[in-house]
Amino acid sequence: MKKIDSLIQSMLQSYARNADLTNMQAAPLPSKSCVTDLTHRLESLLYPGLTDCVRNSDGMIYAVGNRMSEAYQDMVRLIAISLRYAQTCENCRMRLESTDLPVEEQAEGLAYAFFEKLPTMRDVLRTDLHAAYMGDPAAKYYAEIILSYPGFRALAIHRMAHILFQAGVPILPRMMSEFAHNRTGIDIHPGARIGQGFFIDHGTGVVIGETSVIGNNVKLYQGVTLGALSIPNPDSSMGVKRHPTLEDDVTIYSGASILGGETVVGARSVIGANVWLTHSVAPDTKVLYVPPELRFKSMGTPSPAKN
Amino acid sequence: MKKIDSLIQSMLQSYARNADLTNMQAAPLPSKSCVTDLTHRLESLLYPGLTDCVRNSDGMIYAVGNRMSEAYQDMVRLIAISLRYAQTCENCRMRLESTDLPVEEQAEGLAYAFFEKLPTMRDVLRTDLHAAYMGDPAAKYYAEIILSYPGFRALAIHRMAHILFQAGVPILPRMMSEFAHNRTGIDIHPGARIGQGFFIDHGTGVVIGETSVIGNNVKLYQGVTLGALSIPNPDSSMGVKRHPTLEDDVTIYSGASILGGETVVGARSVIGANVWLTHSVAPDTKVLYVPPELRFKSMGTPSPAKN
Amino acid sequence: MKKIDSLIQSMLQSYARNADLTNMQAAPLPSKSCVTDLTHRLESLLYPGLTDCVRNSDGMIYAVGNRMSEAYQDMVRLIAISLRYAQTCENCRMRLESTDLPVEEQAEGLAYAFFEKLPTMRDVLRTDLHAAYMGDPAAKYYAEIILSYPGFRALAIHRMAHILFQAGVPILPRMMSEFAHNRTGIDIHPGARIGQGFFIDHGTGVVIGETSVIGNNVKLYQGVTLGALSIPNPDSSMGVKRHPTLEDDVTIYSGASILGGETVVGARSVIGANVWLTHSVAPDTKVLYVPPELRFKSMGTPSPAKN
Amino acid sequence: MKKIDSLIQSMLQSYARNADLTNMQAAPLPSKSCVTDLTHRLESLLYPGLTDCVRNSDGMIYAVGNRMSEAYQDMVRLIAISLRYAQTCENCRMRLESTDLPVEEQAEGLAYAFFEKLPTMRDVLRTDLHAAYMGDPAAKYYAEIILSYPGFRALAIHRMAHILFQAGVPILPRMMSEFAHNRTGIDIHPGARIGQGFFIDHGTGVVIGETSVIGNNVKLYQGVTLGALSIPNPDSSMGVKRHPTLEDDVTIYSGASILGGETVVGARSVIGANVWLTHSVAPDTKVLYVPPELRFKSMGTPSPAKN
Amino acid sequence: MKKIDSLIQSMLQSYARNADLTNMQAAPLPSKSCVTDLTHRLESLLYPGLTDCVRNSDGMIYAVGNRMSEAYQDMVRLIAISLRYAQTCENCRMRLESTDLPVEEQAEGLAYAFFEKLPTMRDVLRTDLHAAYMGDPAAKYYAEIILSYPGFRALAIHRMAHILFQAGVPILPRMMSEFAHNRTGIDIHPGARIGQGFFIDHGTGVVIGETSVIGNNVKLYQGVTLGALSIPNPDSSMGVKRHPTLEDDVTIYSGASILGGETVVGARSVIGANVWLTHSVAPDTKVLYVPPELRFKSMGTPSPAKN
Amino acid sequence: MKKIDSLIQSMLQSYARNADLTNMQAAPLPSKSCVTDLTHRLESLLYPGLTDCVRNSDGMIYAVGNRMSEAYQDMVRLIAISLRYAQTCENCRMRLESTDLPVEEQAEGLAYAFFEKLPTMRDVLRTDLHAAYMGDPAAKYYAEIILSYPGFRALAIHRMAHILFQAGVPILPRMMSEFAHNRTGIDIHPGARIGQGFFIDHGTGVVIGETSVIGNNVKLYQGVTLGALSIPNPDSSMGVKRHPTLEDDVTIYSGASILGGETVVGARSVIGANVWLTHSVAPDTKVLYVPPELRFKSMGTPSPAKN
């Protein structure tokens, strides 16, 4: 026992040394597994006919109502945890004011408002689904997009996280986004504002920053970044618009980077693959590299040995 | 109860408004969790000695036989669900014809054919494994590749999904591919045809489109796209070859994009990193950018304050 | 029964044909699920106040001690499995010598040394956490970084895997790294040596090769590769430095590739996005592409039909 | 492998020898675990406020509705399995006739009728609950009886099993009864007919046979048997009344045995502990043993050593 | 949906009719599964070396401490639920007074006092264990008694439940007792006061009533009842001594019933099997039936056919 | 933390005080949950067609083989634990001699012998099943007996435990018996020797002692005890025949007690309910109480109020 004991003692000293990192004195935080559970529940509320326990429509109303009650209670609890943390944190950038309203009641109100907005949000998702179906000939069924397109999944979770972010809920929406990032390779900050009919094809490596603004019917390919230019002082740039704006009907091909809070890509413009863009572009513009010269070097006849 | 009740009512109205999206009237679909289970089972059938429940070889035949019977039954069930959905779907691009043969019997036949092909497919995987071992000095053991190389994992799942895709099974192979994409960041459409000795190094961000054709002994690095050029009409381009062909022994470095259904990269050619290629290249060609000029700007002596 | 039976028989023949791949005769290997469990335990040891079962600090010492004992025993077991495999493998690049010391005792010693180093490693992680907080204005709380920044998560796991790699533990550290890659899209080989205050923003697609060396206060963005140049012979290049060195305070923007074992990026240098660098750069240098010419093509007035 | 193999072979031969016992050729039967799950669900439907997942009444309707839909579907499935077995069994005493109505539809009808009767049955259970509360001064709360009185639990399950038994469902009700027996030590055959206000105190060892008839407000103590006299021919006595009748307001003390199908205990009679009764008793009769003579033997002064 | 819907509606009406039984308006109660978990935890605290996860003594202190913290928190929670219910119940026999002290603090105090008493209680259990070992030649090991003697298990749980009962905790101790009854067939009311060195052999069917008092070194066999005589008014007899007293060193053989609150079995007395005793017995008395006359009836030579 | 800490400290002192009881220094013992798992597995091996995962006979051989391999390995492990404990125990009645053969090899041999005997044992169980079917008109199907007759379940487990007991395996068989007791209320010591065609009806409260010997075609009812007379010295009576012998074709009615190692109930005899028998009885004898005089006391006309 001696051996393990000394290891544990020095670990405990390490915790004491860095008590803030271990969060041992502070208010608790939502756990990853709870956020995962909540997000799974919300996803299955959006598309109940596509969830794990398929059943005939008898009793569907009760299954849905039950799942919604559970999701509602989960969300109240996780919002309350998030609020309490943000009202008591030290050394943080976004300390919330305590209010006279008890945290639980605030959380109830925020959760209620979230669920009130869900039906409208589903109407928007329908436009996204249509955009995906029209944008990809490999999509044979609408349901296939819901079940197996990471871009659509990341977007559905983003739209939910964004409702919470807009309402001022701390921490929780960011954790939901990271859940989506983890599952899809697509990293959309919950602060990003995204219009209808949005489609991300393939999607791995896409990054959409916190203050991005995206119009309707925009399409992105894998590896696109909507990012910030260099940031001198993180504390003073919090809340400042640091990421670009894409107007309606813009298409951005894979690997392109659009950077800067004042950069606006005008409506209907097309940005070519791998383009690095740090200034605005007028509507109806196609931006491509002047095709960089390729060097073709014949490697000679393959050696017979290779055969 | 009033409060939750009104939320649920408006959610139910939302479902009614978009009944097609909720899939509530339609035939059921394979659930994600079932596809995940099936794929895990199939992976552990490919490499039984490497699975979770390591045991000595006593009784291995029974463990394998048992797992195979279960996987077989799962697969019959999921194929049957997929077929029935595709035979009854509305507003879809690939409605299958109903046949006189009951769906369950079709599914039995398709599952049987799949398992008949597995041993041969394992022989092909062996060539892939060898390619990975020879292609990466960081690989110390063959088993290490099976256990921890995402490129190999994505490929093993692809080869299984591709058998189903070729046999005309709808939906299920695409869900298996997305499972692999989710786990590895590598997005291979189940329609892609891939030769022996294929190796994807690192792999995050790789996209291989539905109608790609890849020869033997090809090697790709992370971030490579084998994609389509812009698509005017998704309905008419379904089934058309939209993605490139790579002949034998081709190597493509990270971040390169090869686009278009008529683009052929000739045998033994090498495509450099980040190259954007939309036309064919003769065999034995090395394609690189003319090295874009780099600008080196000295940033002066660091300020003493930094010390 | 006939039907399934013949399928199983031919599968068993396939195993016999490729017995090495199925690992059926060889020593067992750590299973993925065990490595996943161990890594989860280790992560929750690093930040006990942020783990799933939040509880008040009463009894924390026992919860931590208990988790540590379990992690310790798991690690001893997995190291022993890894050592035994590496001492008996055939056709492998890194066969370990058997020693007089029984494998279990070696494993005990290695696990003990690992846990001795954990507290110091946590001090280093603290510098990484600070770097992330200062480097991203979107980060509102330190805890948010621990809970939802993939770059920080990948790094925490890397630092643990690296301790094991340095101590000569085979297989296990590579599996831990792939666990991190799977969860974050960031692929850091456990051999890479990384200084304090390291920050990877967003991170999807980042690749850091086995022999990379990274100084203090380095920052990388998504899609950066620290890779090798082409490798003629994998067997002879094992152990050779094939990946670059980044000195202190270097920043590398998204999509850049730094390649080659002799390539050194000098202190305080900045490498621009998408730069492809295969040779060394002096300290205090900014390396950017000469901005490649962009072609702007107006696409005319949108057709009224579009409205 | 040889060793295990021969064991398995001889086990398989044993199955072949006794194929009827292993049920390998016959129709399937309800599994114990499914019957356990169904019974748990039904119990929690009876007293939803006392079940595991206590929640506030918001959303209770949905939770109940959902649980009921699930219980309904489970019951349909288990009844169908039971019916099909009983229609195809060989060498059995109760082979059911096949009918034109498909088994699934019969099962639907039977399940529906069961749930229609549940509310009335709950009214009867209320009288049982009241009887327990009035009969035991140790009961402090009604809820305590529901939560921790085995007599009440066994009775609640019996009343449900009896509905099914009366409707002619084979196998399933008997399995439900055995579930109750297993949990409570009280063995009530689902065929027994039991009036209102029934109370079994303590209950371990109580046996109530298939053709027992019990009036209203009857009370039994632990170890009471309502049994059959000896049975010459099991085949011909199936269905014959073999167990006693207890009229209203009868009390039977612990360990008493009342035997025989023609034995009637008249209303308001009291049967003393351990009485062995094989003939009828008029109403308002108290039946006690003539107190058997006890022998009191002094065992002398305890030896000082004992102190 | 119609069909299920009407079933659910009539179930909901049934709940409304008997709202008190469904406990839907009242304060929640401890759930059975929580009480089961708590009792399992407490059992494993009593004998940590015999619990499921056997490990070497390294780290045992942490495992125990961790389990104790968890059990402590569980117990606080369940006591608080029990107290709140008892302070708000209607139509109940034991409504507790509300106090100024918040329920949570009361619960903390009660849980703390419980755990303070555990070590002493273990010393008493040691005497019980010794009594079992000395009383049964079939017991080969002390540990075997802990692992497989239902009498010892029921007693260990009783001693814990009794501490809570004595301290005035409502509901919870009774549920713990019923847990023990369910597992062992031995029904000991948590109110019973039991001395050291107590042993119940086999035990199925034993009943020990609420106000029983049992001295040291008493031994009971299966089927023994320590019960009440008939109870005219349950409300007025609550708290009255209704069950017998057994002085030190008494032995009671199987199936005997000792009844009545004023019945005292004097020290060192022995009560024979099946004796029905309703009055006191002096110390050092052996009480047996005058052996009831047995009737031996020869059944004649077995028919040769039987051979 | 102070509070919990002192509780834990005093618990740890309690462990130290009674180290033997906590088994903290001794060899480990089989855990209850492992014995439960093993027994479940063995039960499902006996009747594979009746287990939880019903499947068609395709692949049954593999499912059975797989389950058998797992049960075999479990049994080896648990026997080894049991042997090692018995070879190192202190203060125990049955310390086993250590042998030159390593414990693991002994355990292998014992497990192998067990499984070799299983098929023959199933043939015996078939006679028990037939006896139950012929003995109870309420039994409609053979399968019903396997699924829901506690007497049959207890017997099946006993027959397996007895094989181990006979072979000298310590601890494990007793734990299997207590598992059966816990599930059925029937307490059969694994040492009891029981002939073919044995049937226990209802069964709750039945006790069959260690050295009982039971012939063929014996039938017992609930509450029957085959016990020992008083035991002066447990250490010297270990192994001595203390329990009765029942010859072939004996029937014993409910509640009867047959006591003493020299008591023999001759073939074909019938022992009436509640008979207390401590001496031998010739073959073909019916033993009944001279019917004890019953006292019938009319309780007068029921008061009109009662109506």
Side-chain angles (χ1 to χ4, degrees), chain B residues 26-27 83-90 92 95-96 98:
Chain B
L83 288 174
R84 195 172 290 112
Y85 186 85
Q87 288 175 5
T88 60
C89 65
E90 298 182 9
C92 60
R95 180 163 181 149
L96 295 187
S98 294

Side-chain angles (χ1 to χ4, degrees), chain C:
Chain C
M1 191 165 101
K2 297 268 161 41
K3 264 173 69 172
I4 278 277
D5 217 41
S6 71
L7 293 177
I8 293 173
Q9 289 312 322
S10 67
M11 200 68 190
L12 291 169
Q13 285 159 20
S14 168
Y15 293 157
R17 237 178 8 251
N18 300 302
D20 48 347
L21 290 205
T22 50
N23 206 48
M24 286 171 76
Q25 313 304 329
L29 282 153
S31 74
K32 280 193 197 185
S33 69
C34 289
V35 174
T36 295
D37 288 350
L38 172 62
T39 312
H40 279 144
R41 276 204 174 116
L42 293 172
E43 288 188 274
S44 73
L45 262 182
L46 291 180
Y47 300 106
L50 297 170
T51 56
D52 291 4
C53 302
V54 177
R55 65 166 74 85
N56 56 39
S57 59
D58 271 18
M60 175 63 89
I61 171 173
Y62 299 102
V64 165
N66 188 39
R67 187 163 290 178
M68 194 146 176
S69 314
E70 291 175 351
Y72 180 84
Q73 290 174 39
D74 280 3
M75 185 164 271
V76 169
R77 196 163 50 83
L78 291 179
I79 292 178
I81 290 175
S82 298
L83 289 173
R84 194 171 290 112
Y85 186 85
Q87 289 175 3
T88 61
C89 66
E90 297 181 10
N91 296 320
C92 60
R93 288 202 181 104
M94 198 173 85
R95 180 164 181 148
L96 295 186
E97 292 299 308
S98 294
T99 63
D100 287 346
L101 198 63
V103 160
E104 279 71 18
E105 286 183 40
Q106 287 180 59
E108 279 262 0
L110 288 161
Y112 191 78
F114 171 83
F115 282 100
E116 268 189 323
K117 295 203 177 88
L118 260 195
T120 308
M121 199 211 83
R122 287 185 78 248
D123 292 341
V124 176
L125 268 184
R126 184 178 182 76
T127 66
D128 301 323
L129 188 62
H130 186 68
Y133 189 73
M134 294 316 293
D136 184 4
K140 273 83 176 183
Y141 313 94
Y142 280 99
E144 195 178 32
I145 292 164
I146 299 175
L147 287 171
S148 59
Y149 275 53
F152 186 76
R153 185 178 193 194
L155 184 58
I157 297 173
H158 167 74
R159 293 203 183 282
M160 296 191 287
H162 182 65
I163 294 175
L164 297 172
F165 183 92
Q166 285 288 93
V169 176
I171 298 164
L172 177 59
R174 184 68 184 79
M175 290 183 77
M176 289 172 66
S177 293
E178 179 51 25
F179 169 84
H181 182 194
N182 173 294
R183 292 314 194 268
T184 64
I186 296 170
D187 184 353
I188 313 180
H189 193 283
R193 294 166 56 193
I194 301 180
Q196 301 192 357
F198 186 58
F199 175 41
I200 302 174
D201 203 358
H202 305 296
T204 309
V206 163
V207 173
I208 300 178
E210 182 180 13
T211 60
S212 305
V213 177
I214 297 177
N216 295 328
N217 306 314
V218 168
K219 181 172 183 176
L220 305 186
Y221 285 85
Q222 69 270 23
V224 165
T225 296
L226 306 185
L229 290 164
S230 66
I231 306 131
N233 182 329
D235 289 324
S236 63
S237 41
M238 191 174 78
V240 174
K241 187 165 193 311
R242 308 181 306 278
H243 307 93
T245 297
L246 311 185
E247 295 183 350
D248 294 353
D249 302 301
V250 162
T251 298
I252 311 205
Y253 283 99
S254 64
S257 298
I258 321 292
L259 306 175
E262 307 197 0
T263 302
V264 177
V265 176
R268 292 169 305 280
S269 291
V270 174
I271 310 297
N274 296 328
V275 164
W276 179 263
L277 191 71
T278 58
H279 57 268
S280 296
V281 162
D284 298 298
T285 309
K286 195 173 213 165
V287 182
L288 296 173
Y289 277 121
V290 174
E293 194 182 344
L294 290 174
R295 193 168 54 182
F296 295 88
K297 187 167 83 178
S298 169
M299 295 187 296
T301 322
S303 68
K306 261 296 230 290
N307 296 325

Side-chain angles (χ1 to χ4, degrees), chain D residues 93-279:
Chain D
R93 287 202 182 102
M94 199 171 86
R95 180 164 180 148
L96 295 187
E97 293 299 308
S98 294
T99 63
D100 287 346
L101 199 63
V103 160
E104 279 70 18
E105 286 183 39
Q106 285 180 61
E108 280 262 359
L110 289 160
Y112 191 78
F114 171 83
F115 282 100
E116 268 190 322
K117 296 204 176 86
L118 259 195
T120 307
M121 199 211 83
R122 287 185 78 247
D123 293 340
V124 177
L125 268 185
R126 184 178 181 77
T127 67
D128 301 323
L129 188 63
H130 186 67
Y133 189 74
M134 294 315 293
D136 184 5
K140 272 84 175 181
Y141 312 94
Y142 280 98
E144 195 178 32
I145 293 165
I146 300 175
L147 286 172
S148 60
Y149 275 54
F152 186 76
R153 186 179 192 194
L155 185 57
I157 296 173
H158 167 74
R159 293 203 183 282
M160 297 191 286
H162 182 64
I163 293 175
L164 296 173
F165 183 92
Q166 285 287 93
V169 176
I171 299 164
L172 177 59
R174 185 69 184 80
M175 291 182 76
M176 289 171 66
S177 292
E178 180 51 24
F179 169 84
H181 183 195
N182 172 296
R183 292 315 194 267
T184 65
I186 297 170
D187 185 353
I188 312 179
H189 193 283
R193 294 165 54 192
I194 301 181
Q196 301 192 354
F198 186 58
F199 175 41
I200 302 173
D201 203 358
H202 305 297
T204 309
V206 163
V207 173
I208 300 178
E210 181 180 13
T211 60
S212 304
V213 177
I214 297 177
N216 294 329
N217 307 314
V218 168
K219 179 171 183 176
L220 305 186
Y221 284 85
Q222 67 270 24
V224 164
T225 296
L226 306 185
L229 291 163
S230 67
I231 305 131
N233 183 329
D235 289 324
S236 63
S237 40
M238 190 175 75
V240 174
K241 187 164 192 310
R242 308 181 306 277
H243 307 92
T245 297
L246 311 184
E247 295 184 351
D248 293 353
D249 302 301
V250 161
T251 298
I252 310 205
Y253 282 100
S254 64
S257 296
I258 320 292
L259 306 174
E262 306 197 1
T263 302
V264 177
V265 176
R268 293 167 304 279
S269 291
V270 173
I271 309 297
N274 296 328
V275 164
W276 180 263
L277 190 71
T278 59
H279 58 267

Side-chain angles (χ1 to χ4, degrees), chain F residues 38-291:
Chain F
L38 172 63
T39 312
H40 278 144
R41 275 204 175 117
L42 293 172
E43 288 188 273
S44 74
L45 261 182
L46 292 179
Y47 300 107
L50 297 170
T51 55
D52 291 4
C53 301
V54 177
R55 65 166 75 85
N56 56 39
S57 58
D58 271 19
M60 176 62 90
I61 171 172
Y62 299 101
V64 165
N66 188 39
R67 189 164 289 180
M68 195 147 177
S69 314
E70 290 175 351
Y72 180 84
Q73 291 174 37
D74 280 3
M75 184 164 271
V76 169
R77 197 162 51 83
L78 291 178
I79 293 178
I81 289 175
S82 299
L83 289 174
R84 195 171 289 113
Y85 186 85
Q87 288 175 2
T88 60
C89 65
E90 298 181 9
N91 296 319
C92 61
R93 286 202 183 102
M94 198 172 84
R95 178 162 183 151
L96 295 186
E97 293 299 308
S98 293
T99 64
D100 287 345
L101 199 62
V103 161
E104 279 70 18
E105 286 183 40
Q106 286 180 59
E108 279 262 0
L110 289 160
Y112 191 79
F114 171 83
F115 283 100
E116 268 190 322
K117 295 201 177 88
L118 261 195
T120 307
M121 199 211 84
R122 287 185 78 247
D123 292 341
V124 177
L125 269 184
R126 184 177 182 77
T127 68
D128 302 323
L129 188 63
H130 186 67
Y133 189 74
M134 294 315 293
D136 183 4
K140 273 82 176 182
Y141 312 94
Y142 280 99
E144 195 179 32
I145 293 164
I146 300 175
L147 286 172
S148 59
Y149 275 54
F152 186 76
R153 186 180 193 193
L155 185 57
I157 297 173
H158 167 74
R159 293 204 183 281
M160 296 191 286
H162 182 64
I163 294 174
L164 296 173
F165 183 93
Q166 285 287 93
V169 176
I171 299 164
L172 177 59
R174 183 71 184 78
M175 290 182 77
M176 288 171 67
S177 292
E178 179 52 25
F179 169 85
H181 182 196
N182 172 295
R183 292 314 194 268
T184 65
I186 296 170
D187 184 353
I188 313 179
H189 192 282
R193 295 167 51 194
I194 301 180
Q196 300 192 357
F198 186 57
F199 176 40
I200 302 173
D201 204 358
H202 305 296
T204 309
V206 163
V207 173
I208 301 178
E210 181 181 12
T211 61
S212 305
V213 177
I214 297 177
N216 295 329
N217 306 314
V218 168
K219 180 173 183 177
L220 306 185
Y221 285 85
Q222 68 270 25
V224 164
T225 295
L226 305 185
L229 290 163
S230 66
I231 305 132
N233 182 328
D235 289 325
S236 63
S237 39
M238 191 174 76
V240 173
K241 187 165 192 311
R242 308 180 307 277
H243 307 92
T245 297
L246 311 185
E247 294 184 351
D248 293 352
D249 301 302
V250 162
T251 299
I252 311 203
Y253 283 100
S254 64
S257 296
I258 320 292
L259 306 175
E262 306 196 1
T263 302
V264 177
V265 177
R268 293 169 303 280
S269 291
V270 173
I271 309 298
N274 296 329
V275 163
W276 179 262
L277 190 71
T278 58
H279 58 266
S280 295
V281 162
D284 299 299
T285 309
K286 194 173 214 167
V287 182
L288 296 173
Y289 278 122
V290 173

Side-chain angles (χ1 to χ4, degrees), chain D residues 43-54 57 60-61 64-66 68-69 72-73 108-109 111-112 115-116 118-120 122-123 125-126 129 132-144 146-150 153 182-184 202-205 219 221-222 253-254 272-274 292-302 306-307, chain E residues 3-4 6-12 14-15 17-25 28-33 85-86 89 91-96 165 170-171 174-175 178 181-182 185-187 189 204-205 207 209-210 225 230-231 233-235 237-238 242 249 255 257 268-270 274-277 279-281 283-291:
Chain D
E43 288 189 273
S44 73
L45 261 182
L46 291 179
Y47 300 106
L50 298 170
T51 55
D52 292 4
C53 302
V54 177
S57 57
M60 175 63 89
I61 172 173
V64 165
N66 188 39
M68 195 147 175
S69 314
Y72 180 84
Q73 291 173 38
E108 280 262 359
Y112 191 78
F115 282 100
E116 268 190 322
L118 259 195
T120 307
R122 287 185 78 247
D123 293 340
L125 268 185
R126 184 178 181 77
L129 188 63
Y133 189 74
M134 294 315 293
D136 184 5
K140 272 84 175 181
Y141 312 94
Y142 280 98
E144 195 178 32
I146 300 175
L147 286 172
S148 60
Y149 275 54
R153 186 179 192 194
N182 172 296
R183 292 315 194 267
T184 65
H202 305 297
T204 309
K219 179 171 183 176
Y221 284 85
Q222 67 270 24
Y253 282 100
S254 64
N274 296 328
E293 195 181 345
L294 291 174
R295 194 169 52 183
F296 296 86
K297 187 166 83 176
S298 169
M299 296 186 296
T301 324
K306 261 296 229 292
N307 296 325
Chain E
K3 265 175 68 171
I4 278 278
S6 72
L7 293 176
I8 293 172
Q9 290 311 322
S10 68
M11 201 68 191
L12 291 170
S14 168
Y15 293 158
R17 247 191 345 264
N18 300 302
D20 49 345
L21 291 205
T22 50
N23 206 49
M24 284 168 78
Q25 313 304 331
L29 283 153
S31 74
K32 280 192 197 185
S33 68
Y85 186 85
C89 65
N91 296 319
C92 62
R93 287 202 182 102
M94 197 171 86
R95 180 162 181 151
L96 295 186
F165 183 92
I171 299 164
R174 183 70 184 80
M175 290 182 77
E178 179 51 26
H181 182 195
N182 172 295
I186 297 170
D187 184 354
H189 193 283
T204 309
V207 173
E210 181 181 13
T225 296
S230 66
I231 305 130
N233 182 329
D235 289 324
S237 39
M238 191 175 76
R242 307 181 307 277
D249 301 302
S257 296
R268 294 168 304 279
S269 291
V270 174
N274 295 329
V275 163
W276 179 262
L277 191 71
H279 58 267
S280 295
V281 162
D284 298 299
T285 309
K286 193 174 214 165
V287 183
L288 296 173
Y289 278 121
V290 175

